Amino acid sequence: MAVTSEVSTREAEVLTLVGEHLSNAEIGARLFISVRTVESHVSSLLRKLDMPDRRALALHAAATRAAGPRPAPALPKPLTSFIGRTRERAELTELIKTQRQVTAVGPGGVGKTRLALAVVADVAADFADGVWFVDLVPITSPDMCVVAGTVAMALGIGEQPGRGFDRAVLAALADRNALLVLDNCEHVRDGVAPFVEQLLAACPGMSVLATSRARLMVPFERVYTVPPMSLAGDGDSDAVALFMDRAAAGGWPPNHAMRDQVATFCERLDGVALAIELAAARWTTLGLDGLAAGLGDQLRMLSGGARADDRHRSVRAALDWSHALLESEDRMLLRRVSVFMTSFPVEAAADAAGLDKGAVAAGLARLVEQSLLVVTDTPTGTQFRALETIRQYGLEQLEAAGEVTDARAGHLRWCLAEAGDLSVVRTGWRARFDAAADDFRAALGWACEQPDRRSDAHGLARLLAPLMFTRHLTGESQWRYEQAAYLADDPAAAAELLRHAAAAAGCQGNGDDMYRLHHAAAEFAQRAGDSAGASIDLATAAASAYRFWGRFERIPAREDLVALIAEARRLAAAPTSAAPADIASAVAAGADTVQDSAALADIARSGAVTIDPARAEAARAAIALAEAVVLANPFGAPQGVTDVPAPEVISSAERAVELTHGTRDPFAESAALDALAAAQSRAGELRAAAATARRRIRLLSTTPDNPVGTHELVGALGQATEFGLGAGDLAGARRWGRQLAEHPMLAEVGHTATSRLLVADALAGNVDDVLAHSARFLEAWHREERPARSALGAAVAGVRMIHGLRDDYDAEREWTRVLQQLGTPATDADGYQAVFDALLMLHHGQPEDALERTELTPAEARTRVTGAWLPWYLALHAEAAAMTGNTSASDDLAQARTEVTGNPVATAIIDRAEALLAKDRDRLLSTATTFDAAGCIYQSARTRILAGGADAIEGAAMLTTLGLSRMTALVHL
């Protein structure tokens, strides 16, 4: 008689021990239960099985043991704790409950067995006859009979005459409700697959969970891909938890503060559980720095001592096991595709392997089945990838097979074609570039080391440089332009590439590199016989030193720049053979700048050389711009002169604009307009400066999105924002500032991107916008390790003021600390800092303090306050004087009015101050209309409060809507 389904698992255990003729006391000790409980189970068994006595019960137990499997034994108990895998555990559990055959697949060491053991422990109670666990590693033959025999031995089923193990197992399990776990099936799939298929057909109550590096390919199989340990959550990920747990076991627990570093380390291990555990075992001897240094050779580093299972002794051993299961053509394909750093399509693998695309596609599919490659669907098509440890293993095999050159050459061919195709930006461009970027870098690195691949290296670097710029990897773009230049055989091409590198350096805010690269471009231009081009490069280098002086670590001395301009003039006078041209036109075009035009004419008439008139004209314009920038110093570089009369500074810049306009080079003209706007600002002509900046933006609106154009456009937007503020055009300043904040190139440098917009919004009183953009500013500034850039000071001072207006003193102190860390120069104290301080003091009813904070006379202010801030400074000084009843208030107002002409907001502040002095309520309220039209909400509310009465209530409500605190109005009408 067979054990019925009414017999519980515990009763079955008691029955087995009764069959072994153990006493109740011995059974209780074996099962860790009391003797009284054993007696209760024995009585229940006698009743359920209809047995007369204990002797009959023992005979029944012995007969049952001979006919069928013994009760399911305890599952293997791991020696270490199970970490994480909450999602995977739940998903696999649900599959086992709903599907009869589940295969958990994944690469060696990913944690299939540990996950399976955790899950079957959870579901064991759902199977009345328990769970049997069978490890198939010891099997060497894939014959089904061998597999069945191994299962039979695990189940305690003996061999029966005339019946094979497969039939014996099926007969014994026919009426069982149990879960059979077949662990490590990959090397005997040909035997496991038919056995499982027969088992499921013959035993309707049985379920099978298999673990394998490849699926079994049987009907009704439900595959569950076991992923690497989760990396989500950075320092709180499953991968980090596993590393921390295993490292602590060595007696030296890692510091909790290191979790983010550990997360980065685990990410480089692809989250593979075995790799993480082996690395953690070396934590006490290598530390995290040593482990990270060993990542370049994971196969050597990730090894351990003796293990019960040699496959898990090291990552290499696990991969040797998988590699041995492959056919020779699949081994070849695996090592060939190991040259790919990240994901790759079938076409790329075909290039690297040198095989037909169809054959490669089939081979990749087989490698995926063996869990040696990961396959993903992307918007650009199916992509394959090898985990890093597998990739390094493949590279070793590639080296051993002597196939490195062929595979690398094929990889390079694909990279050249892919980079060329990416030169046209289409839908999905970014994802496609990101997927290939590391391969481009690897192919270029290899090609640079091969003397016979210099041309290919140059070609790939030249393609990669603009791609990097389009992807906003500006620093690497600069490097690739330089790399391409020094790989070029043509010096003229090298010079042009270095000019782009210089512009990319400018986009990075690296003035020193920009200056160096223009010098280098001049050297290559001279080698190419292009003396006019060399002249332009030297003149541009000289001009950049003062145009962008705030971006230099060390600004070149003025005498060095003057000498550079002189050399540019000399080169412009030299003959050039850049291109055939009409000689007479060339002489005419260069006559104004060439010192010895007669000598040039003689050379031209001799026919010894040809002169390109366009290059000569461009050289003349570049020299004129360098002279306007260096000799007149409109940008106020600290090394430059400061006593050149304003009309001369403007005239010099206007001449440069005229000459550059004639070249039809928008970038050269933009640079000249930059100088003109700066000159106009220094002369106090802020409306003209703002108009020039807008003209500059219009000029650049249709230029290519390359380093030169982007460098000029970003500068133009910043300039238009600043001079718009000076001219009181808050709406325009916010528009240009917003374009700057949203420019893709500045996406990763939010502090730089938002700095101009923050100033405009702070002056306008747009509190919500300031709070939103300041959060982006602060996050990016901290991410960049809090750079000390004085150019950011105005934005920080503006944010600090807004918090002061909100009475948020903690935030105000925080932004004060940021301002101190920026290293702002003392001169800024008389500019934006004074303006924002005075605005805050006036809000809190401290006009005496505001008057002291803006104590400079108009004459002093003109020399000490930066042009864009001068109207604001003088207007607030005049208002503070009027509110304090200062005896000089009328004179201050009169002088200030002449200085703020053209700035409607500053003019309205002065009008309001005069109305307060005259106690003219109607005139005071009329200024509110001006403020509203200018988009200056805060000043409009302030006007109403100063008017008193019902208007004051309306003004207070406006401040509340803005999110500002109540204003203290010591003076009102």
Side-chain angles (χ1 to χ4, degrees):
M1 181 182 295
V3 178
T4 71
S5 59
E6 295 177 317
V7 175
S8 70
T9 301
R10 177 61 79 188
E11 289 171 341
E13 291 173 340
V14 171
L15 178 62
T16 299
L17 297 179
V18 168
E20 295 178 10
H21 305 289
L22 298 183
S23 68
N24 286 354
E26 290 171 325
I27 293 173
R30 181 78 64 88
L31 298 179
F32 301 100
I33 56 179
S34 68
V35 173
R36 184 183 298 274
T37 302
V38 175
E39 291 173 350
S40 175
H41 285 314
V42 169
S43 298
S44 177
L45 286 167
L46 290 171
R47 183 180 67 256
K48 288 180 179 181
L49 300 177
D50 193 23
M51 295 290 170
D53 53 30
R54 189 183 183 97
R55 175 180 172 80
L57 199 63
L59 292 172
H60 172 77
T64 301
R65 184 167 64 250
R70 62 174 178 260
L75 294 170
K77 187 173 180 58
L79 299 178
T80 54
S81 58
F82 185 78
I83 302 294
R85 299 277 199 189
T86 301
R87 178 180 60 81
E88 296 93 326
R89 196 167 180 170
E91 291 173 347
L92 188 53
T93 296
E94 183 61 25
L95 282 178
I96 291 172
K97 290 180 176 180
T98 58
Q99 307 292 326
R100 292 189 61 206
Q101 202 275 301
V102 180
T103 305
V105 301
V110 79
K112 300 183 295 295
T113 299
R114 292 301 304 272
L115 177 62
L117 287 172
V119 168
V120 298
D122 294 338
V123 303
D126 294 341
F127 296 92
D129 295 316
V131 178
W132 282 281
F133 184 91
V134 182
D135 185 1
L136 299 181
V137 166
I139 301 179
T140 57
S141 170
D143 186 271
M144 188 185 77
C145 291
V146 176
V147 172
T150 302
V151 173
M153 286 187 287
L155 271 59
I157 299 173
E159 187 173 6
Q160 300 173 16
R163 175 184 285 183
F165 274 122
D166 54 339
R167 294 178 58 197
V169 170
L170 297 181
L173 298 178
D175 60 350
R176 299 289 178 174
N177 175 25
L179 174 65
L180 177 63
V181 181
L182 300 176
D183 194 34
N184 299 300
C185 299
E186 57 273 353
H187 61 303
V188 288
R189 285 192 305 160
D190 290 345
V192 171
F195 170 75
V196 168
E197 187 170 358
Q198 290 184 21
L199 176 70
L200 295 177
C203 307
M206 291 296 297
S207 295
V208 174
L209 170 62
T211 73
S212 177
R213 301 185 189 187
R215 60 181 300 180
L216 303 183
M217 304 297 287
V218 294
F220 312 115
E221 177 185 30
R222 181 64 182 268
V223 175
Y224 181 79
T225 302
V226 179
M229 297 294 288
S230 171
L231 299 167
D234 297 326
D236 295 323
S237 69
D238 287 352
V240 171
L242 179 64
F243 181 95
M244 301 292 275
D245 180 83
R246 301 304 191 253
W252 182 24
N255 190 309
H256 184 82
M258 301 178 66
R259 295 180 77 94
D260 287 343
Q261 295 171 267
V262 172
T264 301
F265 176 78
C266 291
E267 185 175 0
R268 294 185 63 188
L269 292 177
D270 292 307
V272 175
L274 176 61
I276 292 172
E277 290 189 324
L278 291 172
R282 293 196 162 198
W283 153 255
T284 56
T285 55
L286 294 178
L288 194 57
D289 290 345
L291 289 172
L295 285 175
D297 189 358
Q298 294 184 20
L299 299 176
R300 182 187 302 273
M301 181 186 73
L302 301 178
S303 61
R307 299 282 291 268
D309 182 354
D310 282 343
R311 296 172 309 122
H312 291 165
R313 182 173 54 81
S314 68
V315 170
R316 184 189 302 281
L319 293 174
D320 283 340
W321 171 269
S322 294
H323 190 255
L325 301 178
L326 299 178
E327 298 295 333
S328 59
E329 59 268 26
D330 290 345
R331 292 180 188 178
M332 186 273 284
L333 183 58
L334 178 64
R335 59 181 180 259
R336 289 293 183 99
V337 299
S338 295
V339 298
F340 288 96
M341 300 296 293
T342 53
S343 300
F344 54 88
V346 172
E347 296 82 1
D351 273 337
L355 296 174
D356 173 76
K357 179 180 173 182
V360 168
L364 293 175
R366 290 191 295 272
L367 291 175
V368 170
E369 289 175 6
Q370 292 289 341
S371 298
L372 290 169
L373 293 180
V374 177
V375 61
T376 55
D377 283 328
T378 71
T380 58
T382 302
Q383 296 273 324
F384 299 85
R385 182 175 72 89
L387 300 181
E388 181 58 22
T389 50
I390 296 174
R391 195 186 73 81
Q392 291 186 17
Y393 182 86
L395 288 175
E396 280 193 358
Q397 301 299 316
L398 189 69
E399 183 74 34
E403 299 169 355
V404 171
T405 299
D406 289 343
R408 291 288 186 189
H411 180 237
L412 176 61
R413 281 194 304 274
W414 177 80
C415 287
L416 283 165
E418 183 72 357
D421 197 46
L422 282 167
S423 296
V424 179
V425 178
R426 305 182 183 91
T427 302
W429 182 93
R430 177 167 175 166
R432 188 174 160 195
F433 173 81
D434 287 353
D438 283 342
D439 282 296
F440 292 156
R441 296 179 179 111
L444 181 54
W446 177 77
C448 286
E449 296 174 354
Q450 313 302 313
D452 60 336
R453 299 283 177 178
R454 181 184 176 90
S455 177
D456 287 336
H458 165 70
L460 185 53
R462 188 165 191 162
L463 287 167
L464 193 52
L467 293 178
M468 288 292 177
F469 189 81
T470 301
R471 182 58 180 82
H472 311 304
L473 301 173
T474 315
E476 186 170 357
S477 174
Q478 174 193 329
W479 176 31
R480 298 304 179 187
Y481 274 117
E482 289 190 63
Q483 188 177 32
Y486 288 102
L487 287 168
D489 293 327
D490 179 6
E496 186 60 27
L497 289 164
L498 289 169
R499 291 169 193 135
H500 282 286
C507 292
Q508 284 282 97
N510 190 332
D512 299 87
D513 268 6
M514 186 166 40
Y515 186 76
R516 170 183 64 82
L517 289 164
H518 279 302
H519 269 276
E523 292 178 11
F524 277 97
Q526 285 186 270
R527 293 182 201 173
D530 182 11
S531 56
S535 172
I536 295 169
D537 291 322
L538 293 181
T540 303
S544 69
Y546 277 11
R547 273 188 76 196
F548 309 108
W549 63 267
R551 304 178 188 178
F552 277 75
E553 293 291 331
R554 176 185 171 276
I555 305 174
R558 184 174 185 274
E559 55 269 25
D560 292 340
L561 301 180
V562 171
L564 210 59
I565 295 172
E567 177 64 9
R569 279 186 163 277
R570 185 190 69 78
L571 288 169
T576 175
S577 56
D582 180 80
I583 297 173
S585 298
V587 174
D592 289 344
T593 55
V594 177
Q595 294 175 344
D596 192 355
S597 56
L600 178 60
D602 288 341
I603 293 172
R605 282 191 292 271
S606 72
V609 296
T610 57
I611 300 174
D612 181 354
R615 297 295 276 173
E617 186 176 8
R620 180 175 68 169
I623 292 168
L625 175 59
E627 290 172 341
V629 171
V630 174
L631 304 182
N633 193 21
F635 294 97
Q639 283 81 358
V641 296
T642 57
D643 56 354
V644 180
E648 291 184 21
V649 178
I650 292 176
S651 176
S652 179
E654 287 176 335
R655 179 170 180 271
V657 170
E658 179 185 358
L659 290 173
T660 54
H661 181 72
T663 67
R664 300 183 182 278
D665 180 348
F667 304 132
E669 186 176 354
S670 170
L673 288 170
D674 185 19
L676 177 58
Q680 291 165 332
S681 172
R682 288 180 67 80
E685 300 177 9
L686 293 175
R687 285 182 65 85
T692 300
R694 293 194 298 271
R695 176 183 166 188
R696 188 180 171 201
I697 291 175
R698 289 193 300 273
L699 175 69
L700 295 167
S701 62
T702 58
T703 55
D705 186 19
N706 59 25
V708 180
T710 299
H711 185 214
E712 287 295 325
L713 178 60
V714 167
L717 289 170
Q719 188 183 64
T721 305
E722 179 182 351
F723 295 152
L725 293 174
D729 179 14
L730 292 181
R734 293 185 68 238
R735 182 167 64 254
W736 306 127
R738 192 177 301 109
Q739 286 189 30
L740 196 62
E742 295 171 356
H743 196 286
M745 192 193 75
L746 302 179
E748 301 299 325
V749 284
H751 49 309
T752 301
T754 60
S755 59
R756 304 281 189 172
L757 181 58
L758 282 169
V759 176
D761 278 328
L763 286 174
N766 298 317
V767 179
D768 289 344
D769 289 336
V770 169
L771 297 180
H773 290 118
S774 64
R776 179 185 172 194
F777 178 104
L778 201 59
E779 187 276 331
W781 185 67
H782 280 292
R783 188 176 64 244
E784 292 288 314
E785 299 182 351
R786 299 179 293 183
R789 295 179 187 166
S790 59
L792 303 174
V796 174
V799 176
R800 179 182 66 171
M801 180 200 71
I802 289 294
H803 286 298
L805 294 177
R806 300 175 70 238
D807 288 347
D808 187 343
Y809 301 117
D810 289 340
E812 184 182 7
R813 282 190 290 271
E814 178 186 8
W815 285 90
T816 298
R817 288 191 292 270
V818 174
L819 189 61
Q820 292 168 345
Q821 292 177 62
L822 289 179
T824 53
T827 53
D828 289 350
D830 294 326
Y832 60 79
Q833 289 192 43
V835 168
F836 286 126
D837 287 348
L839 283 167
L840 186 58
M841 292 168 180
L842 290 172
H843 181 85
H844 288 306
Q846 302 165 340
E848 295 89 354
D849 293 338
L851 184 62
E852 182 180 351
R853 187 68 180 87
T854 56
E855 63 181 353
L856 299 177
T857 66
E860 292 172 330
R862 276 195 297 272
T863 61
R864 293 173 57 179
V865 178
T866 306
W869 293 101
L870 182 62
W872 297 89
Y873 184 98
L874 295 175
L876 292 171
H877 172 85
E879 180 168 74
M883 294 185 72
T884 58
N886 190 286
T887 55
S888 65
S890 296
D891 291 339
D892 289 342
L893 286 167
Q895 291 184 58
R897 184 175 294 283
T898 61
E899 296 288 348
V900 303
T901 302
N903 184 320
V905 179
T907 300
I909 292 174
I910 291 174
D911 289 342
R912 184 174 62 195
E914 288 181 342
L916 286 172
L917 280 177
K919 300 189 182 302
D920 186 340
R921 191 170 187 275
D922 291 339
R923 184 181 177 191
L924 184 144
L925 283 172
S926 70
T927 65
T929 304
T930 304
F931 290 130
D932 287 335
C936 198
I937 309 169
Y938 170 73
Q939 291 297 343
S940 177
R942 178 175 170 76
T943 296
R944 288 171 168 80
I945 292 171
L946 291 172
D951 292 299
I953 297 174
E954 181 185 356
M958 292 173 66
L959 290 183
T960 301
T961 300
L962 288 173
L964 299 179
S965 67
R966 182 175 180 177
M967 190 182 92
T968 304
L970 299 180
V971 178
H972 58 80
L973 299 182

